[in-house]
């Protein structure tokens, strides 16, 4: 038996002692890191943390880890969770499948999809749903959308989730991609994925492979996902950080069509090169 | 002393002695302590931070030993960003022939400098072969700019002819090109921050790295690093000897008492080590290494600003100082409203007149020359405070360049590590001290683990 609380404990373990430069990569425990840039608030306040790239697994982690993470984990824009993407993840699921959304905003999207597909899935969320079973081996699909970026021990969380999975069950992980073209351009400070101060580590495809392996899950697939909004949010961060007047921020990052088309075109090219803004990993319990 | 103390398993359980509680020593101690290694910090002074302390007088002037600007990256690495002010302005000029030229692009206004530089650049390949600083400057800047600006400055600063200095004295960032400087300048202008240029050699500079000033001065960084180490720092404790047996560190003598140690991390100037280390002669050659003494004056003036830029380089030899820094242009709160402080850097020897002058005479001498450069300075002068140090900067003489270079891979004595500007005998800036010390401690940890 596995208590839901154990998962929730990991999700809520966002408090740790503050200090100087973080000692280890939270994904692979390596202490060989290199500074990559600086993340911080975009409102002119001097606060900030160093962006470190792990020399071992090449993932990104912020250092020092925050005493208390602020804000909420980033919610996925509705547009990126398109129905065909959900269809891919849920292929082969029985009509009575149990689905768990962990600390993320995917729950409502999955509900919408289940309604449209006419399935009878039992969709639960760790935050809002109190009907989560405490028993192990019971879920067919677990979705973590932008959850792993903010938990303190991502490997530990996946290990616990593995216990909740039924045999052959899957975990779908969606994270911002530090192997993306967007990160190459804005990764020094303004990259939308940082979501300062809500996140503490970020992944590329290699890091997700390593994460799945360390958690004892087999990696079925890691692909990138189209998300043009991340470009606009990065530009918005840049403009805000450099004190550009709000009117221009709205023009570029608001609902104006031209910037959106440009961002979509750039992201489309990046996606074609396998450098889309988001990563999706499908991990399976064998 | 036969050997370092052993635990029940025959393993070395003695502490690692850290000599000095400045930025370098505390960075080392903090890193080792957080990783579970036993450390003991010995500080000869009454408090941590030493020369990093800021002194504030009753009128509201804050005196720093040098400009205490740090980068936001160092602040973030130490977790003190929220306690720092963002610096929005920093610039440099060169005072030459009664005119000021913004650095570096203002110097391009002078056709003689441009033509000379182009001519030298066309003589391809010469920069790589430069052994001396003089050769390097002439090959890269042209004879005119080298002879009138760069060489006089480096000579005033080091106290020796540029022909005798190794080309290693030229900071790597200087060679990164005009386009890089331009990029940093533009991003600084566009972002409204003093983007750092030439303040970090260990880590890349970018538009995201800018100057900050800790609200309590640099001592705040030391306090942060010392957090958790309170029981491991002994102040007013002078290390009189480092004991070595069979080319391995085994102990230290602190205030007359011998103590076993597993290793020593020293921040002491290198030329002192041969006297400090007992039981070996392998460090004797370090006694030749020279440091340039400096007289550092902080002159108070009415009105602000007085200088055309935060930092003014003064290469002409008729002036006693080679650098003037009006820090309140960047950090206004260091002087009360309507007042300013100008820091003057005077390179000299300890037996020179400058070094022996009393504070008031130094102030008068500087004001006399400042009046020539910026008329009205004397009328605004309000007094001064002077600090003298016999170890201002390491001097990279060619005669010991090979030995200096060899030091980069460590000492021939097992368990002895040296960090910080004086300890490494290296031209390292504040942020670099932090990163380089962490690298050194990585080596120490690897050695310590293998030794166990």
């Amino acid at each position: 038996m596995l208590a839901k609380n154990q998962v929730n404990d990991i999700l809520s373990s966002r408090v740790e002692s503050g200090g100087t430069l973080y000692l280890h990569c939270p994904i692979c425990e390596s202490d060989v890191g290199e500074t990559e840039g600086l993340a911080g608030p975009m409102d002119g306040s001097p606060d900030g943390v160093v962006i470190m790239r792990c020399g071992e697994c090449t993932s990104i982690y912020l250092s020092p880890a925050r005493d208390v993470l602020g804000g909420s984990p980033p919610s996925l824009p509705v547009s990126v969770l398109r129905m065909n993407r959900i269809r891919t993840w849920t292929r082969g699921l029985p009509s009575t499948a149990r689905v768990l959304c962990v600390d993320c905003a995917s729950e409502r999207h999955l509900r919408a999809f289940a309604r449209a597909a006419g399935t009878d899935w039992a969709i639960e969320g760790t935050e809002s749903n109190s009907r989560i079973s405490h028993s192990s081996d019971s879920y067919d699909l677990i979705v973590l959308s932008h959850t792993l970026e903010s938990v303190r021990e991502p490997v530990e969380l996946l290990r616990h989730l593995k216990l909740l999975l039924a045999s052959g069950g899957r975990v779908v992980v969606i994270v911002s991609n530090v192997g993306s073209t967007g990160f190459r351009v804005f990764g020094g400070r303004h990259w939308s994925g940082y979501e300062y101060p809500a996140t503490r580590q970020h992944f590329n495809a290699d890091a997700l492979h390593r994460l799945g392996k360390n958690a004892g899950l087999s990696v079925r697939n890691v692909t990138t996902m189209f998300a043009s909004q991340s470009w606009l949010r990065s530009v918005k961060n840049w403009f805000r950080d450099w004190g550009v007047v709000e009117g221009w921020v709205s023009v570029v990052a608001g609902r104006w069509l031209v910037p959106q088309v440009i961002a979509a075109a750039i992201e489309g090219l990046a996606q074609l090169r396998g450098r889309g803004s988001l990563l999706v990993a499908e991990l399976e319990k064998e | 002393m036969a050997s370092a103390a052993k635990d029940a398993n025959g393993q070395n359980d003695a502490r690692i002695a850290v000599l000095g509680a400045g930025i370098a020593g505390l960075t080392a101690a903090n890193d080792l302590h957080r990783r579970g290694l036993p450390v003991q910090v010995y500080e000869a002074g009454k408090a941590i931070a030493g020369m990093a302390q800021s002194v504030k007088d009753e009128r509201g002037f804050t005196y720093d030993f040098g400009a205490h600007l740090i980068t936001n990256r160092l602040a973030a690495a130490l977790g003190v960003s929220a306690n720092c002010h963002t610096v929005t302005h920093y610039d440099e000029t060169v005072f030459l022939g009664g005119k000021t030229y913004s650095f570096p692009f203002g110097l391009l206004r002078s056709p003689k400098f441009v033509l000379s530089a182009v001519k030298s650049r066309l003589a391809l390949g010469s920069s790589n072969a430069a052994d001396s600083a003089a050769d390097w400057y002439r090959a890269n800047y042209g004879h005119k700019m080298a002879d009138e600006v760069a060489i006089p400055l480096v000579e005033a600063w080091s106290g020796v002819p540029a022909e005798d200095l190794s080309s290693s004295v030229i900071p790597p960032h200087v060679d990164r090109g005009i386009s890089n400087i331009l990029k940093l300048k533009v991003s600084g202008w566009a972002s409204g921050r003093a983007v750092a240029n030439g303040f970090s050699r260990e880590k890349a500079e970018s538009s995201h790295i800018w100057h900050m000033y800790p609200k309590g001065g640099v001592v705040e960084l030391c306090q942060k690093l010392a957090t958790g180490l309170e029981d491991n720092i002994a102040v007013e404790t002078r290390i009189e000897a480092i004991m070595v047996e069979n080319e391995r560190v085994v102990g230290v003598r602190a205030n007359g008492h011998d103590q076993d140690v597993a290793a020593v991390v020293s921040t002491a100037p290198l030329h002192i080590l041969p006297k400090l280390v007992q039981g070996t002669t392998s460090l004797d050659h370090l006694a030749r290494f020279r440091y340039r003494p400096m007289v550092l004056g902080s002159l108070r003036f009415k009105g602000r600003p007085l200088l055309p830029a935060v930092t003014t380089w003064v290469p002409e030899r008729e002036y006693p100082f080679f650098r003037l820094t009006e820090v309140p242009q960047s950090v206004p709160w260091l002087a009360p409203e309507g007042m300013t402080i100008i820091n003057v850097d005077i390179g000299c020897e300890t037996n020179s007149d400058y070094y022996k002058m009393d504070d008031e005479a130094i102030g008068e001498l500087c004001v006399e020359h400042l009046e020539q450069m910026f008329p009205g300075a004397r009328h605004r002068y309000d007094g001064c405070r002077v600090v003298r140090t016999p170890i201002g900067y390491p001097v990279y003489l060619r005669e010991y360049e090979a030995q200096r270079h060899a030091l980069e891979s460590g000492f021939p004595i097992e368990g002895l590590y040296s960090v910080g500007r004086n300890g490494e005998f290296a031209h390292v800036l504040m942020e670099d001290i932090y990163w380089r010390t962490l690298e050194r401690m990585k080596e120490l940890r690897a050695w310590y683990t293998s030794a166990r």
Side-chain angles (χ1 to χ4, degrees):
Chain A
M1 299 288 282
L2 177 78
K4 166 199 165 190
N5 286 347
Q6 283 179 271
V7 172
N8 283 342
D9 284 349
I10 295 173
L11 292 173
S12 61
S13 65
R14 296 190 175 123
V15 181
E16 61 184 40
S17 59
T20 50
L21 209 61
Y22 204 37
L23 294 177
H24 301 289
C25 166
I27 295 159
C28 72
E29 294 287 306
S30 162
D31 67 351
V32 182
E34 189 50 62
T35 58
E36 181 87 9
L38 283 152
M42 300 296 147
D43 60 0
S45 108
D47 203 0
V49 293
V50 179
I51 302 160
M52 300 288 291
R53 183 180 286 278
C54 173
E56 193 69 33
C57 71
T58 67
S59 60
I60 293 287
Y61 56 99
L62 307 184
S63 176
R66 309 287 303 168
D67 286 4
V68 181
L69 292 187
S72 309
S75 62
L76 200 61
V78 176
S79 58
V80 301
L81 264 181
R82 289 174 310 192
M83 293 302 169
N84 60 346
R85 181 62 68 173
I86 296 177
R87 188 172 294 117
T88 310
W89 302 337
T90 56
R91 190 171 296 145
L93 278 187
S95 61
T96 55
R98 297 191 69 196
V99 179
L100 177 64
C101 296
V102 180
D103 202 26
C104 67
S106 305
E107 187 181 341
R108 60 194 171 97
H109 303 129
L110 280 163
R111 286 187 191 285
F113 178 82
R115 271 197 303 276
T119 66
D120 195 23
W121 296 339
I123 301 172
E124 302 162 15
T126 53
E127 279 196 324
S128 58
N129 197 316
S130 58
R131 293 182 295 112
I132 292 174
S133 167
H134 290 186
S135 61
S136 55
D137 303 333
S138 55
Y139 289 95
D140 300 291
L141 176 68
I142 297 176
V143 180
L144 295 93
S145 176
H146 291 289
T147 304
L148 288 186
E149 290 106 318
S150 58
V151 296
R152 183 177 172 184
E153 296 173 310
V155 179
E156 201 57 28
L157 174 62
L158 283 180
R159 282 188 187 135
H160 278 82
L161 293 178
K162 182 188 171 191
L163 298 175
L164 288 176
L165 278 178
S167 180
R170 274 170 280 156
V171 179
V172 171
V173 173
I174 305 161
V175 290
S176 299
N177 179 15
V178 297
S180 66
T181 305
F183 183 85
R184 283 194 173 190
V185 176
F186 294 106
R189 180 169 174 83
H190 302 126
W191 183 52
S192 61
Y194 290 138
E195 293 282 353
Y196 183 88
T199 62
R200 65 171 80 236
Q201 64 260 326
H202 297 279
F203 308 84
N204 57 18
D206 287 347
L208 282 184
H209 274 282
R210 187 182 286 255
L211 193 67
K213 190 178 164 193
N214 290 351
L217 292 161
S218 69
V219 182
R220 282 183 56 170
N221 194 18
V222 178
T223 55
T224 64
M225 200 156 104
F226 182 93
S228 60
Q229 285 296 317
S230 7
W231 286 88
L232 298 174
R233 286 159 64 207
S234 296
V235 172
K236 189 174 169 184
N237 283 343
W238 176 27
F239 279 17
R240 285 237 165 96
D241 189 38
W242 282 24
V244 175
V245 289
E246 201 59 31
W248 281 105
V249 177
S250 304
V251 167
V252 174
R255 295 190 175 278
W256 287 53
L257 185 61
V258 173
Q260 298 218 15
V261 169
I262 294 170
I266 295 170
E267 174 67 0
L269 287 172
Q271 177 72 359
L272 284 174
R273 297 180 62 219
R275 296 187 174 280
S277 290
L278 299 179
L279 274 178
V280 183
E282 292 180 60
L283 315 173
E284 190 175 68
K285 178 181 179 180
E286 289 177 330
Chain B
M1 185 167 295
S3 66
K6 308 281 181 180
D7 64 13
N9 299 319
Q11 293 182 326
N12 197 336
D13 66 345
R15 291 183 172 193
I16 297 166
V18 177
L19 279 51
I23 289 271
L26 290 172
T27 297
N30 178 286
D31 185 63
L32 297 171
H33 180 69
R34 288 200 304 148
R35 292 171 195 273
L37 274 64
V39 292
Q40 178 66 45
V41 181
Y42 299 95
E43 167 58 44
K46 291 182 178 176
I48 64 166
M51 298 299 253
Q53 296 272 7
S54 296
V55 177
K56 189 164 186 174
D57 70 15
E58 67 284 356
R59 296 172 63 194
F61 287 98
T62 302
Y63 305 92
D64 286 342
F65 179 71
H68 284 185
L69 297 179
I70 64 169
T71 64
N72 58 333
R73 180 168 46 201
L74 177 60
L78 293 176
V80 298
S81 304
N83 288 335
C84 293
H85 293 287
T86 295
V87 174
T88 58
H89 170 73
Y90 179 83
D91 58 353
E92 297 182 16
T93 58
V94 176
F95 185 87
L96 198 62
K99 295 179 186 171
T100 53
Y101 300 85
S102 67
F103 179 81
F105 298 112
L107 289 166
L108 300 179
R109 280 174 15 219
S110 169
K112 66 177 179 182
F113 289 153
V114 175
L115 288 172
S116 175
V118 169
K119 195 175 159 189
S120 290
R121 283 286 178 172
L122 289 176
L124 296 174
S126 55
S127 64
N128 292 334
D131 278 341
S132 76
D135 290 344
W136 192 95
Y137 283 128
R138 288 181 183 127
N140 287 274
Y141 292 176
H143 282 249
K144 286 287 180 191
M145 200 186 297
D147 292 340
E148 292 184 32
V149 182
I151 289 175
L153 281 175
V154 80
E155 288 181 345
W157 166 64
S158 64
V160 296
E163 281 76 11
D164 295 343
L165 286 173
S166 160
S167 59
S168 301
V169 79
I170 288 93
H173 78 271
V174 169
D175 205 17
R176 286 180 200 152
I178 291 284
S179 61
N180 186 54
I181 297 171
L182 188 62
K183 188 183 83 179
L184 296 176
K185 291 255 179 203
V186 168
S187 58
W189 168 80
S191 65
R193 296 174 178 131
V195 170
N197 178 17
F199 280 76
S200 171
R201 297 172 197 170
E202 296 297 311
K203 302 288 178 189
E205 296 189 311
S206 78
S207 56
H208 310 311
I209 310 300
W210 60 82
H211 291 296
M212 290 187 127
Y213 188 93
K215 288 175 183 170
V218 172
V219 67
E220 208 164 289
L221 309 188
C222 294
Q223 285 164 348
K224 176 74 178 183
L225 287 164
T227 304
L229 280 168
E230 292 81 0
D231 296 335
N232 305 72
I233 299 175
V235 294
E236 295 190 86
T237 308
R238 185 174 294 280
I239 293 296
E240 292 141 352
I242 298 169
M243 273 78 84
V244 171
E245 287 179 8
N246 301 321
E247 301 301 307
R248 178 175 180 161
V249 167
V250 293
V252 294
R253 184 173 305 132
N255 284 357
H257 299 285
D258 288 357
Q259 295 166 24
D260 291 335
V261 296
V264 166
V265 179
S266 169
T267 62
L270 271 195
H271 65 336
I272 290 174
L273 274 186
K275 292 179 196 161
L276 208 56
V277 176
Q278 295 181 357
T280 180
T281 56
S282 61
L283 299 182
D284 286 359
H285 62 285
L286 300 180
R288 309 200 291 153
F289 283 36
R290 283 171 55 181
Y291 290 81
R292 173 68 158 167
M294 289 277 155
V295 172
L296 305 165
S298 295
L299 279 66
R300 299 183 298 272
F301 291 90
K302 300 182 187 76
R304 184 193 300 177
L306 179 63
L307 302 184
V310 178
T311 294
T312 299
W313 296 97
V314 187
E316 288 167 327
R317 291 184 171 96
E318 67 199 74
Y319 298 100
F321 37 71
F322 64 92
R323 181 170 58 185
L324 302 166
T325 313
E326 190 174 2
V327 187
Q329 286 192 37
S330 279
V331 193
W333 54 91
L334 293 188
E337 191 74 29
M339 304 288 284
T340 195
I341 294 182
I342 294 178
N343 294 328
V344 298
D345 292 37
I346 301 172
C348 57
E349 298 307 313
T350 50
N351 56 2
S352 68
D353 290 342
Y354 289 152
Y355 204 84
K356 293 173 184 167
M357 277 181 181
D358 64 34
D359 290 7
E360 206 47 52
I362 287 284
E364 281 300 318
L365 176 79
C366 293
V367 168
E368 182 187 325
H369 286 90
L370 279 168
E371 176 68 26
Q372 293 171 25
M373 298 167 69
F374 309 106
R378 171 167 292 286
H379 178 67
R380 293 161 62 178
Y381 179 57
D382 187 62
C384 74
R385 184 176 177 276
V386 179
V387 173
R388 296 161 188 81
T389 173
I391 47 169
Y393 293 96
V395 180
Y396 283 17
L397 282 179
R398 289 170 73 192
E399 66 182 58
Y400 49 66
E401 175 59 13
Q403 290 162 328
R404 188 197 68 80
H405 193 66
L407 282 175
E408 289 171 6
S409 53
F411 286 121
I413 295 172
E414 213 180 329
L416 179 60
Y417 296 82
S418 201
V419 297
R421 178 189 285 177
N422 292 327
E424 288 198 54
F425 196 79
H427 291 250
V428 287
L429 300 154
M430 185 96 67
E431 186 186 355
D432 292 336
I433 289 172
Y434 179 75
W435 298 116
R436 286 171 72 112
T437 301
L438 290 185
E439 284 300 311
R440 281 283 185 212
M441 292 308 99
K442 207 181 285 180
E443 293 166 22
L444 190 157
R445 292 198 314 272
W447 169 81
Y448 186 86
T449 306
S450 66
R452 287 176 71 87

